[in-house]
PDB file of all heavy atoms in Angstrom:
ATOM      1  N   GLN J1310     -10.303   1.789  -2.284  1.00 97.00           N
ATOM      2  CA  GLN J1310      -9.775   3.109  -1.924  1.00 97.00           C
ATOM      3  C   GLN J1310     -10.887   4.158  -2.063  1.00 97.00           C
ATOM      4  O   GLN J1310     -11.837   3.970  -2.823  1.00 97.00           O
ATOM      5  CB  GLN J1310      -8.622   3.406  -2.881  1.00 97.00           C
ATOM      6  CG  GLN J1310      -7.830   4.637  -2.563  1.00 97.00           C
ATOM      7  CD  GLN J1310      -6.455   4.577  -3.227  1.00 97.00           C
ATOM      8  OE1 GLN J1310      -5.584   3.875  -2.761  1.00 97.00           O
ATOM      9  NE2 GLN J1310      -6.268   5.323  -4.284  1.00 97.00           N
ATOM     10  N   PHE J1311     -10.734   5.289  -1.377  1.00 98.00           N
ATOM     11  CA  PHE J1311     -11.786   6.316  -1.455  1.00 98.00           C
ATOM     12  C   PHE J1311     -11.920   6.821  -2.906  1.00 98.00           C
ATOM     13  O   PHE J1311     -10.919   7.135  -3.549  1.00 98.00           O
ATOM     14  CB  PHE J1311     -11.495   7.481  -0.503  1.00 98.00           C
ATOM     15  CG  PHE J1311     -12.681   8.391  -0.401  1.00 98.00           C
ATOM     16  CD1 PHE J1311     -13.778   8.033   0.359  1.00 98.00           C
ATOM     17  CD2 PHE J1311     -12.733   9.576  -1.126  1.00 98.00           C
ATOM     18  CE1 PHE J1311     -14.912   8.846   0.414  1.00 98.00           C
ATOM     19  CE2 PHE J1311     -13.855  10.402  -1.076  1.00 98.00           C
ATOM     20  CZ  PHE J1311     -14.948  10.027  -0.296  1.00 98.00           C
ATOM     21  N   PRO J1312     -13.160   6.940  -3.414  1.00 98.00           N
ATOM     22  CA  PRO J1312     -13.376   7.238  -4.839  1.00 98.00           C
ATOM     23  C   PRO J1312     -12.703   8.523  -5.344  1.00 98.00           C
ATOM     24  O   PRO J1312     -12.330   8.600  -6.523  1.00 98.00           O
ATOM     25  CB  PRO J1312     -14.890   7.326  -4.979  1.00 98.00           C
ATOM     26  CG  PRO J1312     -15.485   7.040  -3.643  1.00 98.00           C
ATOM     27  CD  PRO J1312     -14.417   6.611  -2.711  1.00 98.00           C
ATOM     28  N   SER J1313     -12.543   9.542  -4.488  1.00 98.00           N
ATOM     29  CA  SER J1313     -11.886  10.775  -4.967  1.00 98.00           C
ATOM     30  C   SER J1313     -10.437  10.521  -5.364  1.00 98.00           C
ATOM     31  O   SER J1313      -9.830  11.340  -6.056  1.00 98.00           O
ATOM     32  CB  SER J1313     -11.920  11.867  -3.887  1.00 98.00           C
ATOM     33  OG  SER J1313     -13.218  12.379  -3.745  1.00 98.00           O
ATOM     34  N   ASN J1314      -9.892   9.402  -4.919  1.00 98.00           N
ATOM     35  CA  ASN J1314      -8.528   9.032  -5.319  1.00 98.00           C
ATOM     36  C   ASN J1314      -8.565   7.815  -6.252  1.00 98.00           C
ATOM     37  O   ASN J1314      -7.622   7.031  -6.295  1.00 98.00           O
ATOM     38  CB  ASN J1314      -7.688   8.731  -4.063  1.00 98.00           C
ATOM     39  CG  ASN J1314      -6.209   8.570  -4.371  1.00 98.00           C
ATOM     40  OD1 ASN J1314      -5.742   8.926  -5.464  1.00 98.00           O
ATOM     41  ND2 ASN J1314      -5.454   8.019  -3.420  1.00 98.00           N
ATOM     42  N   VAL J1315      -9.665   7.672  -6.965  1.00 98.00           N
ATOM     43  CA  VAL J1315      -9.791   6.543  -7.901  1.00 98.00           C
ATOM     44  C   VAL J1315     -10.222   7.037  -9.286  1.00 98.00           C
ATOM     45  O   VAL J1315      -9.565   6.764 -10.288  1.00 98.00           O
ATOM     46  CB  VAL J1315     -10.804   5.498  -7.375  1.00 98.00           C
ATOM     47  CG1 VAL J1315     -11.078   4.424  -8.429  1.00 98.00           C
ATOM     48  CG2 VAL J1315     -10.288   4.858  -6.087  1.00 98.00           C
ATOM     49  N   TYR J1316     -11.326   7.817  -9.312  1.00 98.00           N
ATOM     50  CA  TYR J1316     -11.910   8.141 -10.613  1.00 98.00           C
ATOM     51  C   TYR J1316     -10.947   8.902 -11.530  1.00 98.00           C
ATOM     52  O   TYR J1316     -10.909   8.665 -12.728  1.00 98.00           O
ATOM     53  CB  TYR J1316     -13.215   8.937 -10.437  1.00 98.00           C
ATOM     54  CG  TYR J1316     -14.317   8.133  -9.783  1.00 98.00           C
ATOM     55  CD1 TYR J1316     -15.044   8.650  -8.716  1.00 98.00           C
ATOM     56  CD2 TYR J1316     -14.639   6.863 -10.229  1.00 98.00           C
ATOM     57  CE1 TYR J1316     -16.057   7.924  -8.116  1.00 98.00           C
ATOM     58  CE2 TYR J1316     -15.657   6.121  -9.628  1.00 98.00           C
ATOM     59  CZ  TYR J1316     -16.351   6.655  -8.572  1.00 98.00           C
ATOM     60  OH  TYR J1316     -17.358   5.932  -7.983  1.00 98.00           O
ATOM     61  N   ALA J1317     -10.168   9.833 -10.963  1.00 98.00           N
ATOM     62  CA  ALA J1317      -9.244  10.603 -11.812  1.00 98.00           C
ATOM     63  C   ALA J1317      -8.231   9.663 -12.469  1.00 98.00           C
ATOM     64  O   ALA J1317      -7.799   9.887 -13.609  1.00 98.00           O
ATOM     65  CB  ALA J1317      -8.518  11.665 -10.988  1.00 98.00           C
ATOM     66  N   TRP J1318      -7.886   8.598 -11.741  1.00 98.00           N
ATOM     67  CA  TRP J1318      -6.901   7.642 -12.295  1.00 98.00           C
ATOM     68  C   TRP J1318      -7.549   6.755 -13.342  1.00 98.00           C
ATOM     69  O   TRP J1318      -6.905   6.356 -14.319  1.00 98.00           O
ATOM     70  CB  TRP J1318      -6.257   6.831 -11.172  1.00 98.00           C
ATOM     71  CG  TRP J1318      -5.558   7.728 -10.179  1.00 98.00           C
ATOM     72  CD1 TRP J1318      -5.868   7.886  -8.862  1.00 98.00           C
ATOM     73  CD2 TRP J1318      -4.460   8.626 -10.438  1.00 98.00           C
ATOM     74  NE1 TRP J1318      -5.037   8.818  -8.284  1.00 98.00           N
ATOM     75  CE2 TRP J1318      -4.165   9.287  -9.224  1.00 98.00           C
ATOM     76  CE3 TRP J1318      -3.708   8.944 -11.567  1.00 98.00           C
ATOM     77  CZ2 TRP J1318      -3.140  10.236  -9.124  1.00 98.00           C
ATOM     78  CZ3 TRP J1318      -2.691   9.891 -11.470  1.00 98.00           C
ATOM     79  CH2 TRP J1318      -2.418  10.524 -10.261  1.00 98.00           C
ATOM     80  N   HIS J1319      -8.830   6.436 -13.161  1.00 98.00           N
ATOM     81  CA  HIS J1319      -9.535   5.685 -14.205  1.00 98.00           C
ATOM     82  C   HIS J1319      -9.532   6.496 -15.500  1.00 98.00           C
ATOM     83  O   HIS J1319      -9.306   5.967 -16.582  1.00 98.00           O
ATOM     84  CB  HIS J1319     -10.970   5.383 -13.789  1.00 98.00           C
ATOM     85  CG  HIS J1319     -11.072   4.271 -12.769  1.00 98.00           C
ATOM     86  ND1 HIS J1319     -12.273   3.781 -12.322  1.00 98.00           N
ATOM     87  CD2 HIS J1319     -10.120   3.557 -12.117  1.00 98.00           C
ATOM     88  CE1 HIS J1319     -12.062   2.805 -11.444  1.00 98.00           C
ATOM     89  NE2 HIS J1319     -10.761   2.666 -11.294  1.00 98.00           N
ATOM     90  N   GLU J1320      -9.797   7.813 -15.357  1.00 98.00           N
ATOM     91  CA  GLU J1320      -9.796   8.679 -16.548  1.00 98.00           C
ATOM     92  C   GLU J1320      -8.406   8.720 -17.174  1.00 98.00           C
ATOM     93  O   GLU J1320      -8.256   8.629 -18.390  1.00 98.00           O
ATOM     94  CB  GLU J1320     -10.240  10.106 -16.185  1.00 98.00           C
ATOM     95  CG  GLU J1320     -11.687  10.220 -15.763  1.00 98.00           C
ATOM     96  CD  GLU J1320     -12.650   9.683 -16.814  1.00 98.00           C
ATOM     97  OE1 GLU J1320     -12.538  10.078 -17.986  1.00 98.00           O
ATOM     98  OE2 GLU J1320     -13.517   8.853 -16.461  1.00 98.00           O
ATOM     99  N   ALA J1321      -7.375   8.859 -16.326  1.00 98.00           N
ATOM    100  CA  ALA J1321      -6.002   8.926 -16.843  1.00 98.00           C
ATOM    101  C   ALA J1321      -5.638   7.616 -17.544  1.00 98.00           C
ATOM    102  O   ALA J1321      -4.952   7.620 -18.575  1.00 98.00           O
ATOM    103  CB  ALA J1321      -5.023   9.203 -15.695  1.00 98.00           C
ATOM    104  N   ALA J1322      -6.123   6.501 -17.002  1.00 98.00           N
ATOM    105  CA  ALA J1322      -5.828   5.200 -17.627  1.00 98.00           C
ATOM    106  C   ALA J1322      -6.514   5.109 -18.985  1.00 98.00           C
ATOM    107  O   ALA J1322      -5.940   4.619 -19.961  1.00 98.00           O
ATOM    108  CB  ALA J1322      -6.289   4.071 -16.710  1.00 98.00           C
ATOM    109  N   LYS J1323      -7.752   5.639 -19.047  1.00 98.00           N
ATOM    110  CA  LYS J1323      -8.496   5.586 -20.317  1.00 98.00           C
ATOM    111  C   LYS J1323      -7.769   6.388 -21.394  1.00 98.00           C
ATOM    112  O   LYS J1323      -7.591   5.932 -22.508  1.00 98.00           O
ATOM    113  CB  LYS J1323      -9.892   6.197 -20.101  1.00 98.00           C
ATOM    114  CG  LYS J1323     -11.030   5.188 -20.218  1.00 98.00           C
ATOM    115  CD  LYS J1323     -12.373   5.901 -20.246  1.00 98.00           C
ATOM    116  CE  LYS J1323     -12.996   5.956 -18.868  1.00 98.00           C
ATOM    117  NZ  LYS J1323     -14.117   6.878 -18.739  1.00 98.00           N
ATOM    118  N   THR J1324      -7.330   7.610 -21.038  1.00 97.00           N
ATOM    119  CA  THR J1324      -6.725   8.460 -22.076  1.00 97.00           C
ATOM    120  C   THR J1324      -5.308   8.007 -22.425  1.00 97.00           C
ATOM    121  O   THR J1324      -4.874   8.179 -23.546  1.00 97.00           O
ATOM    122  CB  THR J1324      -6.706   9.941 -21.668  1.00 97.00           C
ATOM    123  OG1 THR J1324      -6.314  10.017 -20.298  1.00 97.00           O
ATOM    124  CG2 THR J1324      -8.042  10.611 -21.818  1.00 97.00           C
ATOM    125  N   SER J1325      -4.597   7.408 -21.472  1.00 98.00           N
ATOM    126  CA  SER J1325      -3.195   7.043 -21.750  1.00 98.00           C
ATOM    127  C   SER J1325      -3.033   5.602 -22.214  1.00 98.00           C
ATOM    128  O   SER J1325      -2.013   5.246 -22.797  1.00 98.00           O
ATOM    129  CB  SER J1325      -2.360   7.233 -20.479  1.00 98.00           C
ATOM    130  OG  SER J1325      -2.806   6.327 -19.486  1.00 98.00           O
ATOM    131  N   GLY J1326      -4.006   4.759 -21.922  1.00 98.00           N
ATOM    132  CA  GLY J1326      -3.838   3.331 -22.219  1.00 98.00           C
ATOM    133  C   GLY J1326      -3.076   2.606 -21.119  1.00 98.00           C
ATOM    134  O   GLY J1326      -2.612   1.485 -21.312  1.00 98.00           O
ATOM    135  N   ALA J1327      -2.940   3.236 -19.951  1.00 98.00           N
ATOM    136  CA  ALA J1327      -2.280   2.568 -18.820  1.00 98.00           C
ATOM    137  C   ALA J1327      -3.270   1.619 -18.145  1.00 98.00           C
ATOM    138  O   ALA J1327      -4.479   1.676 -18.380  1.00 98.00           O
ATOM    139  CB  ALA J1327      -1.786   3.611 -17.826  1.00 98.00           C
ATOM    140  N   GLU J1328      -2.710   0.758 -17.298  1.00 98.00           N
ATOM    141  CA  GLU J1328      -3.558  -0.235 -16.606  1.00 98.00           C
ATOM    142  C   GLU J1328      -3.694   0.153 -15.136  1.00 98.00           C
ATOM    143  O   GLU J1328      -2.715   0.567 -14.504  1.00 98.00           O
ATOM    144  CB  GLU J1328      -2.841  -1.594 -16.703  1.00 98.00           C
ATOM    145  CG  GLU J1328      -3.570  -2.722 -16.021  1.00 98.00           C
ATOM    146  CD  GLU J1328      -2.651  -3.920 -15.715  1.00 98.00           C
ATOM    147  OE1 GLU J1328      -1.439  -3.836 -16.005  1.00 98.00           O
ATOM    148  OE2 GLU J1328      -3.156  -4.902 -15.150  1.00 98.00           O
ATOM    149  N   ILE J1329      -4.900   0.022 -14.600  1.00 98.00           N
ATOM    150  CA  ILE J1329      -5.102   0.260 -13.162  1.00 98.00           C
ATOM    151  C   ILE J1329      -4.840  -1.042 -12.413  1.00 98.00           C
ATOM    152  O   ILE J1329      -5.379  -2.093 -12.778  1.00 98.00           O
ATOM    153  CB  ILE J1329      -6.565   0.686 -12.868  1.00 98.00           C
ATOM    154  CG1 ILE J1329      -6.901   2.012 -13.535  1.00 98.00           C
ATOM    155  CG2 ILE J1329      -6.841   0.721 -11.367  1.00 98.00           C
ATOM    156  CD1 ILE J1329      -6.378   3.246 -12.840  1.00 98.00           C
ATOM    157  N   ILE J1330      -4.004  -0.976 -11.401  1.00 98.00           N
ATOM    158  CA  ILE J1330      -3.837  -2.134 -10.509  1.00 98.00           C
ATOM    159  C   ILE J1330      -4.365  -1.722  -9.141  1.00 98.00           C
ATOM    160  O   ILE J1330      -3.793  -0.844  -8.489  1.00 98.00           O
ATOM    161  CB  ILE J1330      -2.353  -2.550 -10.395  1.00 98.00           C
ATOM    162  CG1 ILE J1330      -1.857  -3.012 -11.769  1.00 98.00           C
ATOM    163  CG2 ILE J1330      -2.184  -3.655  -9.348  1.00 98.00           C
ATOM    164  CD1 ILE J1330      -0.411  -3.458 -11.796  1.00 98.00           C
TER     165      ILE J1330
END
Side-chain angles (χ1 to χ4, degrees):
Q1310 188 160 284
F1311 190 77
S1313 288
N1314 190 14
V1315 172
Y1316 294 131
W1318 301 117
H1319 284 184
E1320 293 304 309
K1323 247 190 264 166
T1324 43
S1325 65
E1328 179 199 2
I1329 297 282
I1330 296 180

